[in-house]
Amino acid sequence: MHLHCSTMRLSLDLCLCLYLYLFVLTHDLSSGCNEVERDSLSSFFRSVSSSPPLEHWSSPDCCRWEGVTCTNFNTTSTSVSYAITHLSLPARGLSGTLTPSFLPNLTSLSYLNLSGNRLSGHLGPIAFFLPNSIHTLDLSTNHFNGSLITNPTPHLPMITTFNLSNNSFTGPLPVSALCSASPLLASLDFSLNQFTGPISPGTFSTCSNLRVIRAAFNSLSGYLPRDLYTLTNLKEISLANNHLSGPIHNSISLLPNLTIIELHINQFSGHIPPDIGRLSNLEQLQLHTNNLSGHLPTSLSGCSALKTLLLRNNHFSGKISILDFSRLQRLEAVDLGNNTFVGHIPSSLCLCRSLTALRLAYNKLVGRVPPCMASLKTLSHFSVSDNYLSDNVGALKILRHCENLAVLFMSRCFDDEPMPDDDDLLHVDGFEKLQIFTLGGCNLKGQIPSWISKLRKLKVLNLSYNQISGPIPRWVGSFPRLFVLNLTQNFLSGELPREVGRLPALISDNSSSDLSYLALPFLFDSLQYNRLFNLPRGVKVGSNRLSGNIPAEIGELKLLQVLDLSNNGFNGSIPDQLSELINLERLDMSGNRLSGEIPASLTDLHFLSEFSVARNDLRGEIPRGGQFDTFPSSSFEGNPRLCGYYPLMVGRDCSEREKDDDNIDHQIKNDDDDIDDDEVYVPFGIGYFVGFLIVSIPLLFHCSWTTT
């Protein structure tokens, strides 16, 4: 590019400036990072390995290396000087022991992020090598260990953010020492480590600038120190999943900036602080899974910014309606389950227009679902299981208007009511997004209604522990996404439809990721789940009155993990196709009328941990190898024709099988009063002859004696 100064009528000085500017743009005057800093980083590079390799770390200018940021701090007409200010290599597959010797020479380093790698070592020595310029340190999600208490404490005057979460640090929590050495400290994260012991009084006395304290998922114990409640700048307290106990002091309501309180899964007792309503900025209150008790404080309605309210698994009592939910317009998730609340579901909940998840399960609520809940268009998760509610048909007619409803738990409610049938709901639109539907344990009477077949996005259907009669409809096999079907403990009859073996979501994993993460956890088969895809994929029809053969088509369900056919009237042989269920973990066929041998191919089910064919009419040798070597004798009991070389399992050697089977056949036939003369001719003749001799010989002697 050429400039014609005379043509452009520029002064000589301005022209020279333009030339100099173009020269700087087209020529690299800098020498990159200085040699000392480059050598220091090279020593770090040599002490660790990375996969894949770090980019450009072989070039002469370390300011161009991946993860390195330099700042221009001295520019002249002939040179530009740089200093390294940032080293950021999160989740880059780094491994090895981090040696701190490279740090002191990086005198301008302000940001160090090596999180999400596999680095190890003791951090105590590293802290002494950190330059005074450092303000952010993030070594989270690595393999660092040891105690953080050192003597003397390193002086880090500029540091504001200190993140060591998800490592293996031990010993007491070093908050006090760090705050003393770092007066500007604003954020401390010690979560997911192995810190132990109490949080000592005075721990937070020197942390006046602290805004975030996180130490969840450790083994901390004891009471919360009172000086924690003096940190007026505090925005977040996260101490969940520890062994903390004692009361939550009312002084917590004096922290006006608090937005997050996470004290769940501890051993806190007493009441919710009565003045908690003063926390007008509070967005999350998570106190679930503690030993808290008492009524809900009425002041809680004053937390107008509240979005998440999780109080499950405590001992709260009284009426939920004590809260004026109309003042909590931002509420999104409410979990009051597993307490002893009484009364009705408050209608004021209907005014929380942003509500997406509401769990009231495992309480003592009565009455009906409020009709106004039809207005909750954002509601996706609703659970009222294990209460004393009534009118299941009315509840379904109301909830069908919740356009986004994906999870609906209504088990062990509506006791002894009729099953909502087609006359009630067949022509009622709604539930287009429903993926989980449970209505089990209600003693409902009737048949499986066809309106359920309209729930095309259904993934989980639980109608167990009712009094449902009639056949299992063939359309059950037509659900495109269903992978959990639980019809246990009913009065269902007829054959198990072969169409069940065609459920697409149990044949191949082509289902969408909808609802992979649930807004609130739920209990299923007495276990708690947070993610829908963690549910064991299963077909459970045990304890009914089903008959006929076990459909061989079930062998197509490659993703099936649980198959329960127990306590029915299935007959015929065990299909060899069951050996194709390669992911099966539990198989129960006990309490039926199955005959023939146990297919040896079932030993190929390498994930099978529970198995039972007890109380059938099976015969032959029990297969050996694989998981079958681990099953107890109770898995096979009640089959007198079975044998095996496992005395502790069966107690019957197969070498005795033929003779024993004849005796068993004879005994069974006598028990059944179904005897054919030809089959017993020889035994009867011998018995008759022996009996004749026993009776006749004394008579002959008697006759001889009398004649003489």
Side-chain angles (χ1 to χ4, degrees):
M1 181 176 182
H2 299 283
L3 291 177
H4 301 282
C5 294
S6 58
T7 304
M8 299 176 66
R9 298 181 180 179
L10 298 175
S11 67
L12 181 61
D13 290 340
L14 181 58
C15 195
L16 289 174
C17 289
L18 287 173
Y19 272 117
L20 179 60
Y21 175 71
L22 291 173
F23 183 80
V24 170
L25 288 178
T26 56
H27 296 78
D28 186 6
L29 294 179
S30 72
S31 58
C33 63
N34 65 61
E35 185 177 353
V36 174
E37 291 189 329
R38 183 176 64 249
D39 291 344
S40 295
L41 277 185
S42 296
S43 68
F44 161 73
F45 182 64
R46 289 191 298 270
S47 67
V48 300
S49 60
S50 64
S51 178
L54 299 176
E55 296 180 3
H56 310 303
W57 277 59
S58 58
S59 67
D61 183 5
C62 66
C63 290
R64 298 180 179 178
W65 294 358
E66 179 186 354
V68 176
T69 301
C70 297
T71 298
N72 173 356
F73 72 93
N74 186 12
T75 302
T76 67
S77 59
T78 57
S79 67
V80 181
S81 298
Y82 291 92
I84 296 174
T85 56
H86 289 62
L87 177 57
S88 181
L89 293 169
R92 284 298 283 110
L94 303 178
S95 60
T97 301
L98 183 62
T99 54
S101 57
F102 77 98
L103 289 169
N105 292 323
L106 307 180
T107 55
S108 298
L109 187 67
S110 62
Y111 184 91
L112 176 60
N113 184 353
L114 300 176
S115 62
N117 288 291
R118 298 186 298 275
L119 298 170
S120 58
H122 293 279
L123 187 64
I126 295 174
F128 283 102
F129 287 89
L130 289 170
N132 288 342
S133 55
I134 195 85
H135 67 71
T136 298
L137 176 67
D138 189 348
L139 300 178
S140 60
T141 316
N142 277 287
H143 301 315
F144 295 110
N145 55 26
S147 174
L148 288 175
I149 299 296
T150 60
N151 192 13
T153 303
H155 185 55
L156 302 171
M158 302 299 294
I159 198 164
T160 60
T161 302
F162 204 83
N163 188 350
L164 303 180
S165 62
N166 202 6
N167 280 283
S168 299
F169 294 113
T170 57
L173 209 60
V175 174
S176 178
L178 286 171
C179 286
S180 298
S182 310
L184 300 180
L185 202 56
S187 177
L188 278 173
D189 194 343
F190 297 118
S191 305
L192 291 159
N193 278 284
Q194 299 170 25
F195 292 109
T196 57
I199 305 176
S200 304
T203 294
F204 298 100
S205 59
T206 57
C207 300
S208 58
N209 287 303
L210 203 60
R211 289 171 173 78
V212 175
I213 174 63
R214 298 174 184 153
F217 293 91
N218 282 284
S219 296
L220 302 173
S221 58
Y223 288 21
L224 291 179
R226 289 290 185 92
D227 51 285
L228 176 66
Y229 305 127
T230 65
L231 305 180
T232 55
N233 292 316
L234 206 58
K235 291 186 175 182
E236 179 179 344
I237 302 174
S238 179
L239 299 172
N241 287 80
N242 280 286
H243 307 300
L244 299 169
S245 59
I248 302 171
H249 201 271
N250 195 42
S251 299
I252 199 171
S253 60
L254 301 177
L255 305 180
N257 296 306
L258 269 181
T259 58
I260 297 175
I261 298 177
E262 295 180 346
L263 299 176
H264 52 282
I265 313 181
N266 277 287
Q267 299 165 21
F268 290 111
S269 57
H271 298 177
I272 295 177
D275 294 329
I276 197 166
R278 294 182 179 180
L279 302 178
S280 57
N281 293 309
L282 191 64
E283 297 180 2
Q284 294 188 38
L285 179 59
Q286 300 192 37
L287 301 177
H288 55 279
T289 316
N290 278 288
N291 295 317
L292 298 169
S293 59
H295 295 187
L296 298 178
T298 56
S299 73
L300 189 57
S301 300
C303 299
S304 55
L306 201 61
K307 296 180 180 179
T308 302
L309 177 62
L310 306 183
L311 303 178
R312 68 176 179 271
N313 294 336
N314 279 286
H315 307 293
F316 293 119
S317 58
K319 295 183 178 181
I320 299 172
S321 57
I322 198 172
L323 284 185
D324 181 6
F325 286 95
S326 66
R327 299 174 61 190
L328 302 175
Q329 293 292 309
R330 299 184 183 179
L331 264 183
E332 297 175 1
V334 177
D335 191 347
L336 306 178
N338 301 80
N339 284 285
T340 56
F341 289 115
V342 297
H344 295 74
I345 299 174
S347 297
S348 63
L349 275 167
C350 304
L351 300 174
C352 301
R353 303 297 183 176
S354 299
L355 200 61
T356 60
L358 175 60
R359 184 173 181 270
L360 304 173
Y362 295 91
N363 280 290
K364 298 180 179 181
L365 302 177
V366 297
R368 293 176 168 82
V369 172
C372 64
M373 290 196 67
S375 64
L376 295 178
K377 304 302 181 183
T378 59
L379 189 66
S380 65
H381 185 127
F382 183 54
S383 174
V384 289
S385 296
D386 290 89
N387 280 287
Y388 303 116
L389 302 180
S390 58
D391 190 11
N392 71 81
V393 173
L396 291 170
K397 287 183 176 181
I398 292 167
L399 295 171
R400 71 182 178 86
H401 294 286
C402 300
E403 301 170 354
N404 287 290
L405 196 62
V407 177
L408 180 55
F409 291 102
M410 300 200 304
S411 293
R412 295 170 298 280
C413 281
F414 315 109
D415 188 53
D416 209 26
E417 295 184 358
M419 186 76 184
D421 58 23
D422 293 338
D423 292 336
D424 298 318
L425 293 166
L426 182 61
H427 302 293
V428 175
D429 294 327
F431 300 122
E432 287 88 357
K433 296 184 179 181
L434 198 63
Q435 299 184 43
I436 299 179
F437 179 46
T438 76
L439 195 57
C442 299
N443 293 316
L444 301 180
K445 300 176 178 66
Q447 297 191 0
I448 299 176
S450 60
W451 64 265
I452 292 179
S453 66
K454 299 171 65 177
L455 311 180
R456 305 310 293 168
K457 290 191 175 183
L458 208 59
K459 295 183 178 180
V460 177
L461 175 61
N462 181 5
L463 301 177
S464 63
Y465 291 89
N466 282 296
Q467 299 182 39
I468 303 173
S469 56
I472 298 176
R474 296 187 182 279
W475 49 254
V476 166
S478 68
F479 286 107
R481 301 182 182 183
L482 191 71
F483 65 82
V484 174
L485 175 63
N486 190 353
L487 302 175
T488 304
Q489 195 74 46
N490 278 287
F491 299 141
L492 297 168
S493 57
E495 295 186 344
L496 180 63
R498 298 182 183 278
E499 287 80 2
V500 172
R502 299 172 187 167
L503 286 166
L506 289 174
I507 294 175
S508 60
D509 195 9
N510 58 358
S511 59
S512 68
S513 59
D514 294 350
L515 211 62
S516 60
Y517 183 79
L518 297 171
L520 295 174
F522 65 95
L523 291 175
F524 199 86
D525 285 347
S526 301
L527 296 175
Q528 180 172 297
Y529 294 90
N530 290 79
R531 297 175 182 271
L532 181 56
F533 60 73
N534 287 340
L535 272 179
R537 298 170 182 259
V539 173
K540 303 173 72 174
V541 295
S543 299
N544 278 284
R545 298 172 179 176
L546 301 174
S547 58
N549 294 335
I550 298 173
E553 287 82 356
I554 289 181
E556 298 293 324
L557 307 179
K558 308 296 184 185
L559 301 179
L560 195 66
Q561 295 170 277
V562 179
L563 178 59
D564 182 5
L565 307 173
S566 64
N567 299 313
N568 279 286
F570 291 114
N571 52 35
S573 59
I574 298 174
D576 187 67
Q577 288 86 347
L578 295 186
S579 63
E580 299 174 13
L581 302 175
I582 54 176
N583 288 292
L584 202 61
E585 299 174 8
R586 286 183 281 166
L587 175 58
D588 192 348
M589 297 179 285
S590 62
N592 283 286
R593 300 172 183 172
L594 299 173
S595 57
E597 297 186 347
I598 301 174
S601 59
L602 294 183
T603 58
D604 294 333
L605 300 177
H606 300 300
F607 293 110
L608 200 62
S609 59
E610 297 180 25
F611 175 79
S612 181
V613 289
R615 303 183 309 283
N616 278 285
D617 190 22
L618 298 169
R619 66 169 65 211
E621 182 178 351
I622 296 173
R624 290 189 289 176
Q627 294 296 99
F628 270 73
D629 292 351
T630 67
F631 299 138
S633 60
S634 58
S635 297
F636 308 97
E637 65 186 9
N639 293 277
R641 291 184 176 88
L642 281 180
C643 67
Y645 297 99
Y646 311 105
L648 294 178
M649 285 174 46
V650 182
R652 180 168 176 250
D653 195 309
C654 284
S655 62
E656 304 290 328
R657 181 180 64 189
E658 184 175 351
K659 180 174 67 176
D660 289 350
D661 283 353
D662 288 340
N663 292 333
I664 292 167
D665 287 339
H666 173 65
Q667 181 63 43
I668 291 174
K669 290 181 182 296
N670 277 281
D671 289 344
D672 290 342
D673 285 330
D674 186 15
I675 301 173
D676 183 83
D677 288 343
D678 290 336
E679 291 179 358
V680 297
Y681 176 79
V682 173
F684 180 79
I686 294 174
Y688 180 84
F689 179 72
V690 172
F692 174 79
L693 288 179
I694 293 173
V695 174
S696 299
I697 289 175
L699 289 174
L700 289 174
F701 276 106
H702 177 70
C703 293
S704 300
W705 180 78
T706 54
T707 57
T708 59

